[in-house]
Amino acid sequence: DAKTTQPPSMDCAEGRAANLPCNHSTISGNEYVYWYRQIHSQGPQYIIHGLKNNETNEMASLIITEDRKSSTLILPHATLRDTAVYYCIVRVRSDSWGKFQFGAGTQVVVTP
Amino acid sequence: NAGVMQNPRHLVRRRGQEARLRCSPMKGHSHVYWYRQLPEEGLKFMVYLQKENIIDESGMPKERFSAEFPKEGPSILRIQQVVRGDSAAYFCASSFDRGGNQPQHFGDGTRLSIL
């Protein structure tokens, strides 16, 4: 199963872009990279996912390196409400379905 | 976390009692997943159900825990004879399909406290 490595914490200034790195050097060709975040006392919130190409939605952008061994989640203009634990997950394949395995994530604190 | 409804949000039980946690998936979703999050830890997968069938229960303790997703009504996670170690947040997620390209959408969880 492909595992991910994320820094345990990072700070970001309000209004600036937040770039969250994730290493997944053992990722397989058919495994997706997913990002979720969990704000204190809430359930995980889906942010974005991708396979090979870079992806963008209303929340964030996902940049995946060409060799797919790492990715970066970009929050373009961080706000205080973006303070959360961010999880980078490789969607492992187990027989016919892909199980999510959450790690420790990155605690992001956005400061005024 | 629009759509996935869990209740109750908080549940207090005494040791030895039963706990029933309910989850209504997003409209149109027939795949339900249960996770447990112990204090200061990440989410751990417990069980995956698809209408009336358990697909994967590899993360669920063999004893005292059971899950169902009937044809009609919400999915239920049932914990019998609760112990202090069952105190945790239990999250339910749902998806439209099981494939790798389908995100799971989570509810806000049930916080279970055992006295």
mmCIF file of all heavy atoms in Angstrom, chain B residues 83-105:
data_model
loop_
_atom_site.group_PDB
_atom_site.id
_atom_site.type_symbol
_atom_site.label_atom_id
_atom_site.label_comp_id
_atom_site.label_asym_id
_atom_site.label_seq_id
_atom_site.Cartn_x
_atom_site.Cartn_y
_atom_site.Cartn_z
ATOM 1 N N VAL B 83 -17.300 -0.490 26.373
ATOM 2 C CA VAL B 83 -16.233 -0.344 27.358
ATOM 3 C C VAL B 83 -15.612 1.035 27.178
ATOM 4 O O VAL B 83 -15.860 1.718 26.177
ATOM 5 C CB VAL B 83 -15.162 -1.439 27.191
ATOM 6 C CG1 VAL B 83 -15.788 -2.823 27.355
ATOM 7 C CG2 VAL B 83 -14.465 -1.339 25.835
ATOM 8 N N ARG B 84 -14.807 1.433 28.176
ATOM 9 C CA ARG B 84 -14.228 2.775 28.142
ATOM 10 C C ARG B 84 -13.446 3.022 26.846
ATOM 11 O O ARG B 84 -13.462 4.125 26.301
ATOM 12 C CB ARG B 84 -13.300 2.972 29.342
ATOM 13 C CG ARG B 84 -14.033 3.132 30.663
ATOM 14 C CD ARG B 84 -14.036 4.592 31.119
ATOM 15 N NE ARG B 84 -14.940 4.781 32.243
ATOM 16 C CZ ARG B 84 -14.595 4.608 33.499
ATOM 17 N NH1 ARG B 84 -13.361 4.237 33.803
ATOM 18 N NH2 ARG B 84 -15.478 4.824 34.451
ATOM 19 N N GLY B 85 -12.787 1.999 26.360
ATOM 20 C CA GLY B 85 -11.967 2.148 25.157
ATOM 21 C C GLY B 85 -12.760 2.412 23.887
ATOM 22 O O GLY B 85 -12.179 2.752 22.854
ATOM 23 N N ASP B 86 -14.081 2.292 23.967
ATOM 24 C CA ASP B 86 -14.917 2.597 22.800
ATOM 25 C C ASP B 86 -15.170 4.085 22.661
ATOM 26 O O ASP B 86 -15.740 4.533 21.653
ATOM 27 C CB ASP B 86 -16.268 1.866 22.902
ATOM 28 C CG ASP B 86 -16.119 0.355 22.897
ATOM 29 O OD1 ASP B 86 -15.143 -0.139 22.297
ATOM 30 O OD2 ASP B 86 -16.990 -0.326 23.478
ATOM 31 N N SER B 87 -14.786 4.856 23.652
ATOM 32 C CA SER B 87 -14.957 6.309 23.585
ATOM 33 C C SER B 87 -14.157 6.855 22.409
ATOM 34 O O SER B 87 -12.940 6.690 22.339
ATOM 35 C CB SER B 87 -14.484 6.968 24.881
ATOM 36 O OG SER B 87 -15.300 6.601 25.973
ATOM 37 N N ALA B 88 -14.847 7.485 21.492
ATOM 38 C CA ALA B 88 -14.207 7.975 20.269
ATOM 39 C C ALA B 88 -15.231 8.751 19.463
ATOM 40 O O ALA B 88 -16.416 8.802 19.813
ATOM 41 C CB ALA B 88 -13.678 6.805 19.432
ATOM 42 N N ALA B 89 -14.747 9.348 18.368
ATOM 43 C CA ALA B 89 -15.651 9.931 17.387
ATOM 44 C C ALA B 89 -15.816 8.929 16.258
ATOM 45 O O ALA B 89 -14.826 8.385 15.751
ATOM 46 C CB ALA B 89 -15.099 11.244 16.852
ATOM 47 N N TYR B 90 -17.046 8.673 15.887
ATOM 48 C CA TYR B 90 -17.346 7.714 14.824
ATOM 49 C C TYR B 90 -17.906 8.497 13.637
ATOM 50 O O TYR B 90 -18.909 9.193 13.759
ATOM 51 C CB TYR B 90 -18.339 6.670 15.306
ATOM 52 C CG TYR B 90 -17.748 5.749 16.353
ATOM 53 C CD1 TYR B 90 -17.701 6.136 17.697
ATOM 54 C CD2 TYR B 90 -17.212 4.513 16.006
ATOM 55 C CE1 TYR B 90 -17.128 5.306 18.653
ATOM 56 C CE2 TYR B 90 -16.651 3.687 16.951
ATOM 57 C CZ TYR B 90 -16.606 4.090 18.272
ATOM 58 O OH TYR B 90 -16.031 3.271 19.228
ATOM 59 N N PHE B 91 -17.236 8.357 12.507
ATOM 60 C CA PHE B 91 -17.633 9.085 11.311
ATOM 61 C C PHE B 91 -18.163 8.118 10.259
ATOM 62 O O PHE B 91 -17.632 7.023 10.074
ATOM 63 C CB PHE B 91 -16.452 9.867 10.734
ATOM 64 C CG PHE B 91 -15.992 10.992 11.595
ATOM 65 C CD1 PHE B 91 -14.921 10.837 12.452
ATOM 66 C CD2 PHE B 91 -16.641 12.230 11.542
ATOM 67 C CE1 PHE B 91 -14.496 11.882 13.259
ATOM 68 C CE2 PHE B 91 -16.222 13.276 12.341
ATOM 69 C CZ PHE B 91 -15.147 13.105 13.209
ATOM 70 N N CYS B 92 -19.170 8.583 9.582
ATOM 71 C CA CYS B 92 -19.731 7.852 8.464
ATOM 72 C C CYS B 92 -19.446 8.650 7.193
ATOM 73 O O CYS B 92 -19.429 9.888 7.211
ATOM 74 C CB CYS B 92 -21.238 7.711 8.680
ATOM 75 S SG CYS B 92 -22.164 7.175 7.243
ATOM 76 N N ALA B 93 -19.187 7.941 6.113
ATOM 77 C CA ALA B 93 -19.000 8.577 4.813
ATOM 78 C C ALA B 93 -19.830 7.820 3.785
ATOM 79 O O ALA B 93 -20.185 6.652 3.985
ATOM 80 C CB ALA B 93 -17.525 8.570 4.414
ATOM 81 N N SER B 94 -20.132 8.490 2.682
ATOM 82 C CA SER B 94 -20.849 7.817 1.610
ATOM 83 C C SER B 94 -20.263 8.207 0.268
ATOM 84 O O SER B 94 -19.585 9.234 0.137
ATOM 85 C CB SER B 94 -22.345 8.141 1.655
ATOM 86 O OG SER B 94 -22.608 9.475 1.235
ATOM 87 N N SER B 95 -20.508 7.363 -0.721
ATOM 88 C CA SER B 95 -20.063 7.670 -2.072
ATOM 89 C C SER B 95 -21.066 7.127 -3.074
ATOM 90 O O SER B 95 -21.855 6.226 -2.764
ATOM 91 C CB SER B 95 -18.664 7.081 -2.349
ATOM 92 O OG SER B 95 -18.698 5.677 -2.362
ATOM 93 N N PHE B 96 -20.990 7.689 -4.276
ATOM 94 C CA PHE B 96 -21.895 7.256 -5.335
ATOM 95 C C PHE B 96 -21.501 5.876 -5.844
ATOM 96 O O PHE B 96 -22.352 5.056 -6.187
ATOM 97 C CB PHE B 96 -21.841 8.272 -6.472
ATOM 98 C CG PHE B 96 -22.659 7.877 -7.668
ATOM 99 C CD1 PHE B 96 -24.037 7.997 -7.645
ATOM 100 C CD2 PHE B 96 -22.049 7.389 -8.818
ATOM 101 C CE1 PHE B 96 -24.801 7.628 -8.744
ATOM 102 C CE2 PHE B 96 -22.801 7.017 -9.917
ATOM 103 C CZ PHE B 96 -24.178 7.143 -9.883
ATOM 104 N N ASP B 97 -20.194 5.645 -5.915
ATOM 105 C CA ASP B 97 -19.682 4.374 -6.417
ATOM 106 C C ASP B 97 -18.441 4.007 -5.623
ATOM 107 O O ASP B 97 -17.974 4.798 -4.802
ATOM 108 C CB ASP B 97 -19.367 4.505 -7.912
ATOM 109 C CG ASP B 97 -19.291 3.163 -8.618
ATOM 110 O OD1 ASP B 97 -19.300 2.122 -7.922
ATOM 111 O OD2 ASP B 97 -19.200 3.149 -9.857
ATOM 112 N N ARG B 98 -17.892 2.859 -5.835
ATOM 113 C CA ARG B 98 -16.759 2.386 -5.051
ATOM 114 C C ARG B 98 -15.418 2.676 -5.714
ATOM 115 O O ARG B 98 -14.376 2.467 -5.110
ATOM 116 C CB ARG B 98 -16.862 0.878 -4.827
ATOM 117 C CG ARG B 98 -16.702 0.068 -6.087
ATOM 118 C CD ARG B 98 -16.557 -1.410 -5.806
ATOM 119 N NE ARG B 98 -17.726 -1.991 -5.190
ATOM 120 C CZ ARG B 98 -17.829 -3.286 -4.875
ATOM 121 N NH1 ARG B 98 -16.831 -4.100 -5.128
ATOM 122 N NH2 ARG B 98 -18.903 -3.757 -4.300
ATOM 123 N N GLY B 99 -15.411 3.131 -6.941
ATOM 124 C CA GLY B 99 -14.176 3.253 -7.691
ATOM 125 C C GLY B 99 -13.210 4.281 -7.127
ATOM 126 O O GLY B 99 -13.581 5.167 -6.364
ATOM 127 N N GLY B 100 -11.957 4.169 -7.549
ATOM 128 C CA GLY B 100 -10.908 5.050 -7.053
ATOM 129 C C GLY B 100 -11.116 6.508 -7.384
ATOM 130 O O GLY B 100 -10.541 7.386 -6.750
ATOM 131 N N ASN B 101 -11.951 6.787 -8.383
ATOM 132 C CA ASN B 101 -12.194 8.159 -8.809
ATOM 133 C C ASN B 101 -13.391 8.778 -8.092
ATOM 134 O O ASN B 101 -13.849 9.854 -8.459
ATOM 135 C CB ASN B 101 -12.408 8.186 -10.327
ATOM 136 C CG ASN B 101 -12.225 9.568 -10.905
ATOM 137 O OD1 ASN B 101 -11.561 10.419 -10.330
ATOM 138 N ND2 ASN B 101 -12.856 9.808 -12.046
ATOM 139 N N GLN B 102 -13.929 8.084 -7.090
ATOM 140 C CA GLN B 102 -15.113 8.565 -6.382
ATOM 141 C C GLN B 102 -14.740 9.012 -4.978
ATOM 142 O O GLN B 102 -14.353 8.185 -4.145
ATOM 143 C CB GLN B 102 -16.159 7.444 -6.306
ATOM 144 C CG GLN B 102 -16.778 7.095 -7.623
ATOM 145 C CD GLN B 102 -17.682 8.184 -8.137
ATOM 146 O OE1 GLN B 102 -18.340 8.871 -7.370
ATOM 147 N NE2 GLN B 102 -17.719 8.371 -9.454
ATOM 148 N N PRO B 103 -14.851 10.295 -4.677
ATOM 149 C CA PRO B 103 -14.561 10.727 -3.310
ATOM 150 C C PRO B 103 -15.629 10.235 -2.344
ATOM 151 O O PRO B 103 -16.769 9.994 -2.727
ATOM 152 C CB PRO B 103 -14.570 12.255 -3.403
ATOM 153 C CG PRO B 103 -15.357 12.576 -4.623
ATOM 154 C CD PRO B 103 -15.187 11.424 -5.567
ATOM 155 N N GLN B 104 -15.224 10.089 -1.104
ATOM 156 C CA GLN B 104 -16.162 9.823 -0.035
ATOM 157 C C GLN B 104 -16.494 11.148 0.650
ATOM 158 O O GLN B 104 -15.624 11.986 0.851
ATOM 159 C CB GLN B 104 -15.559 8.848 0.984
ATOM 160 C CG GLN B 104 -15.305 7.466 0.423
ATOM 161 C CD GLN B 104 -14.661 6.535 1.432
ATOM 162 O OE1 GLN B 104 -14.579 6.831 2.619
ATOM 163 N NE2 GLN B 104 -14.214 5.385 0.960
ATOM 164 N N HIS B 105 -17.755 11.296 1.006
ATOM 165 C CA HIS B 105 -18.204 12.508 1.679
ATOM 166 C C HIS B 105 -18.619 12.151 3.097
ATOM 167 O O HIS B 105 -19.407 11.216 3.288
ATOM 168 C CB HIS B 105 -19.351 13.154 0.901
ATOM 169 C CG HIS B 105 -18.930 13.588 -0.473
ATOM 170 N ND1 HIS B 105 -18.332 14.804 -0.705
ATOM 171 C CD2 HIS B 105 -18.995 12.961 -1.666
ATOM 172 C CE1 HIS B 105 -18.053 14.908 -2.006
ATOM 173 N NE2 HIS B 105 -18.438 13.804 -2.599
#
